[in-house]
Amino acid sequence: MTESFVSAYNAQTPTSKALFERASKTIPGGAGSSARTVKFGWSPYPPFMRQGTGSHLTDVDGNEYIDYLLGLGPMILGHRHPVITQAVADAIAEYGTCFGLPYELEIEAAEKVVAAVPGIEKVRFTNSGSEAVGSAVRLARAHTGRRLIVRFEGHYHGWQDTIYWSNHVDPKLAGPKESPRPVASGPGVPLELTDTLVVLSWNDPESFVKLMNERGHEIAAVITEPAVFNTGCILPEPGYLELLRSETIKHGSLLIFDEVITGFRFARGCAQEFFGVTPDLTTLAKGLGGGFPVAALGGSHEAMSMIAEGRYSHSGTYNANVVACAAVSATMDVLAEPGLYERQRALGDRLAEGLRKIAADSGIAARVDGLGTVFQLWFSEHAIKNWRDAEQYADEAMFTRWWEEMITRGVLFHPLQLENLFVSLVHTDEDIDRTLVAAADAFEVLRAENRNR
Ligand SMILES: Cc1ncc(COP(=O)(O)O)c(C=O)c1O
């Protein structure tokens, strides 16, 4: 953090500062998830929010932000979308919240998800992405009778022991690019699980084909984000998802698309519809409930058969509760508006293009990678095709300065360059114009600083 930022931020957010001190006494790190803490870039303290409406947030000091953080993904329809909020309120008033038994609204929500997402013929609702992924991984092992899971560096699949590996780890521990070493993403993960995983670099067809030829018969599942949103926004190289699909079919392994964060972002049928590749199992969360907490595990009849037949117990007290199902049902309806995705992708592309031009005019090496409704601005001269590229080429210090200049101008996104900017389906042309004005000012400051270095 620069000193000038800290003093400007302190002056702008005195109530947040006081709340952070108070929160830190009872909440570890002063916030409810580690991604909201100082350790994850929210330094010297995160701004505390008062309310959100549409694409805007207001903090406790009355500062307004154009929101590109979107709750780290779920607020795909902006804050307090009137249709979703009303549907949830009505459902609670009419039905209750939790029965421990099935009910009709649950079927309605499931039918809409099945109709929307190509790879989902059957679906179970649950509560968080981590739960859905944990179930998908275990189900894949049960279904195939195999043990090995293939995952990719720089992807995040939640915090369960079986999969909380090799996200953003110390590059010195990660081994060579051609054959990375699995590295637990934090302390407490049993190292005995090392042998249950193979970790690969993403967007690298050779290493994948080599692995499948050598060990395909041992592999229960290959799990991937179909576009990597947990290392900026990295799109698959042409043919790469198709290769994951054909090789997994060839070797009898399941393909899991973890669409917890990509789901409903590019298209109502998720990234799998957008890229035209259908997995065996899909995990969903974030966008699924339009801001309400809900997740799902879905897949083909075949991949979900052990659950259907009762041979695999997928359980959870709060699974498919009324709040969750009302939110899913209403969100699926709102996302069906004709032209919605095309319009917002064009809007996001205008922002991305504007940022590219501002960066180019400033002479600062930067690139904007992604696709309309989600992208990242990397301070890098090189293309970023996977986590190793990001580690090697992207300038974190420059990103931090850009973030500092943007948040003090009322534009909010995550302070870490390995996160990204989300454009919701309710951001407006005016939001984009205001963001570009702020970005031009911010780059002017960065340019002046670079000149004086
Ligand atoms: C791709 C992916 N999978 C799983 C998760 C975990 O989801 P949750 O935070 O709901 O447990 C996340 C969260 O960011 C994610 O991005």
Side-chain angles (χ1 to χ4, degrees), residues 27 54 61 87 157 195-196 236 250 275 298 303 357 376 422:
I27 304 172
D61 288 291
H157 298 297
D195 292 342
T196 66
K250 186 165 139 196
F275 293 119
K357 181 166 184 327
Q376 183 56 302
F422 292 110

Side-chain angles (χ1 to χ4, degrees), residues 134-154:
S135 298
V137 165
R138 193 195 295 157
L139 179 61
R141 287 186 167 133
H143 186 84
T144 57
R146 301 174 180 177
R147 197 170 69 122
L148 271 189
I149 300 292
V150 179
R151 60 149 297 148
F152 297 93
E153 288 182 315

Side-chain angles (χ1 to χ4, degrees), residues 128-131 133 156-159 225 230 258 260-261 285-286:
S128 74
S130 296
E131 280 178 62
V133 171
Y156 176 63
H157 298 297
W159 46 259
E225 294 183 55
N230 283 288
D258 181 0
V260 163
I261 196 162
K286 306 219 184 213

Side-chain angles (χ1 to χ4, degrees), residues 83-143:
V83 174
I84 320 291
T85 309
Q86 194 61 51
V88 171
D90 288 351
I92 296 172
E94 204 171 325
Y95 308 126
T97 52
C98 188
F99 306 126
L101 284 168
Y103 59 107
E104 196 169 350
L105 180 59
E106 177 183 354
I107 311 174
E108 193 178 299
E111 286 171 347
K112 289 180 186 176
V113 171
V114 166
V117 185
I120 299 190
E121 294 176 329
K122 281 208 168 79
V123 64
R124 277 277 179 93
F125 294 113
T126 180
N127 302 289
S128 74
S130 296
E131 280 178 62
V133 171
S135 298
V137 165
R138 193 195 295 157
L139 179 61
R141 287 186 167 133
H143 186 84

